[in-house]
Amino acid sequence: RLSKARDDLEHYTTVVPGDCEGMMMLAYVYKDLGEPTAATACVQKVLNWRPENKEARQLYQILRGRAGELYNHGNTLLLEEKVDEVSICLSEGMEQLNMGF
């Protein structure tokens, strides 16, 4: 399902270049597919077009920064059903995001 979304969005962003919303959707699909490099490239395009785009800035920080490390660690903890540790990890990640903006 995500692969189909990726293919459709890759086509769409080629046909309609400069569409920030379409590019962000593609970034999220790449992220969910475990392709952070491709997701980061999409986010960087959006930031080149619209540097003030808060959603793109937040996703960039998640993909590239400490918040990203905490996000990934939180997902691992969630899969291990360590719910209490997940909430601590998410709180730390949110603090990191808030400090960056």
Side-chain angles (χ1 to χ4, degrees):
R1 190 173 222 184
L2 282 175
S3 295
K4 172 77 168 118
R6 179 194 57 214
D7 294 345
D8 290 347
L9 286 165
E10 284 176 346
H11 175 74
Y12 174 79
T13 56
T14 301
V15 174
V16 185
D19 183 330
C20 290
E21 188 174 329
M23 192 59 70
M24 284 301 296
M25 284 191 280
L26 182 56
Y28 282 112
V29 169
Y30 279 135
K31 181 178 92 45
D32 290 345
L33 286 169
E35 299 179 34
T37 302
T40 301
C42 292
V43 172
Q44 287 174 324
K45 287 180 184 179
V46 172
L47 290 172
N48 285 335
W49 301 328
R50 301 264 190 264
E52 74 284 357
N53 187 306
K54 186 175 180 178
E55 180 184 9
R57 291 175 62 196
Q58 288 175 333
L59 183 55
Y60 182 81
Q61 188 165 0
I62 287 170
L63 291 166
R64 300 294 294 189
R66 174 74 176 132
E69 293 173 22
L70 291 166
Y71 172 83
N72 291 332
H73 183 62
N75 278 339
T76 300
L77 292 171
L78 189 59
L79 292 172
E80 295 172 356
E81 298 181 7
K82 296 179 180 176
V83 179
D84 292 336
E85 292 178 49
V86 171
S87 63
I88 293 168
C89 192
L90 289 175
S91 294
E92 287 182 42
M94 290 306 297
E95 286 176 25
Q96 292 292 320
L97 286 173
N98 291 333
M99 288 178 8
F101 300 103

